[in-house]
Structure formats: structure tokens, C-alpha cells
Amino acid sequence: MVTEADPPALVVPSRQPESNAVPSAKAQPSTAAVGGALTLAGMDPGLKMTVTLAKVVNPATPDQYSKPKTGNKLVAIELTLANSGQAVYDDSPTNGAALIDSEGQQFRSTYSDVREGQEFGGTSTINMGDSRKGVIVFEVPESAQPAKFQFALDSGFADQTGEWALG
């Protein structure tokens, strides 16, 4: 029985999670396996690239001028970059690339030519609807076992990073 001395009941509506909430690009890990494609966004809202990791060459065969240091080997990652956005891609793909070995060590690309593919080299300009294919080369210790490849647009400064499992 409720009397005038009893405080009114406090009714708090239950809050349902919003099903249409979109997490930020940083919160959405983008992962794939060799042969898989990921669409990555750049800092420009119109910049979107579909990146396909076609193959890993481990070890890669250096050309006559690109010998690795003693105790090291070259690893080549073959990519296709397809512009699926509304802005021109104008960047160096090697700047946003990292190779991670099974020990968690991270390696940056090197400027070495290999026989298994044409390196992107320098800057690539890719118009909307166009694509480029090339390799990114890494010099790693001979004992290193490549485990992951990471790639981000805008020389690695974009919020979204794609990751491919290599094993």
C-alpha cells in the first residue's frame, strides 16, 4: 500500500544498445590471409583502396645489384592496389608497409630489386577505377619466419591498417 509519505517510484528506462552504431576505423581490425583483399580507407574521405596480397616469396631472389647483408635474406610481398574510392591515390606504397616475423619483430621495406616481381618503387599515382601490381621487399635475418604483413594508406598515417596472416 502506497501512502503519501512514500516517495514516488523512480522508473529508469532500460537502454538498448544501438544496433546501427558504427565503430571507428581504428576499432575495426581488418584482417585477411594470403590471396585475400581488404578495402582500406585513407585520411581523405574519398580515398579507398582495395589491397590484395597475392603471394609471399620467401626467400626472394635478389638481382645482381641487390644482395642482402651476410646472414640476411630478402622477402617479397606481391600486392595489387585497386583504387575503389573517389580520390586519386598518390603515395609510396612502401612507406605504409611492415613485415612482422613469428617472434614479433617488425621490419620496414628496403629498396632492393628481386627477380620475382617489379617493385613499386617511389610514388604510385592510381586514378579512380585503376590499379597497380608490384612487390614490396624486406630484408630480414635468414632465421626470420614472416608471420604478418601490415599495410596502411597515407604513408602509414591513415587510421585504418590492414593485416594479412602469412602462415
Side-chain angles (χ1 to χ4, degrees), residues 12-35:
V12 178
S14 64
R15 181 170 165 90
Q16 297 294 325
E18 296 179 26
S19 61
N20 61 351
V22 178
S24 71
K26 279 191 183 234
Q28 296 180 19
S30 296
T31 58
V34 174

Side-chain angles (χ1 to χ4, degrees), residues 35-131:
L38 297 173
T39 298
L40 303 175
M43 291 188 291
D44 177 329
L47 182 58
K48 293 197 184 333
M49 298 293 289
T50 300
V51 181
T52 304
L53 191 155
K55 67 180 175 179
V56 178
V57 181
N58 177 28
T61 311
D63 72 0
Q64 61 189 11
Y65 305 107
S66 300
K67 304 280 187 228
K69 295 177 189 168
T70 301
N72 285 356
K73 65 181 176 182
L74 299 178
V75 175
I77 305 291
E78 183 182 292
L79 299 177
T80 298
L81 305 176
N83 189 333
S84 53
Q86 299 300 313
V88 174
Y89 174 86
D90 189 25
D91 196 5
S92 176
T94 58
N95 290 345
L99 182 70
I100 302 162
D101 73 6
S102 59
E103 300 290 318
Q105 295 179 74
Q106 182 169 305
F107 301 91
R108 291 284 167 203
S109 63
T110 186
Y111 294 104
S112 294
D113 290 321
V114 296
R115 294 186 181 153
E116 289 82 6
Q118 179 65 41
E119 188 175 12
F120 281 104
T123 300
S124 293
T125 301
I126 307 172
N127 291 318
M128 296 167 281
D130 201 1
S131 66

Side-chain angles (χ1 to χ4, degrees), residues 26 41-43 91 95-97 151-161:
K26 279 191 183 234
M43 291 188 291
D91 196 5
N95 290 345
F151 186 80
L153 302 179
D154 299 314
S155 291
F157 291 105
D159 285 340
Q160 190 177 29
T161 299

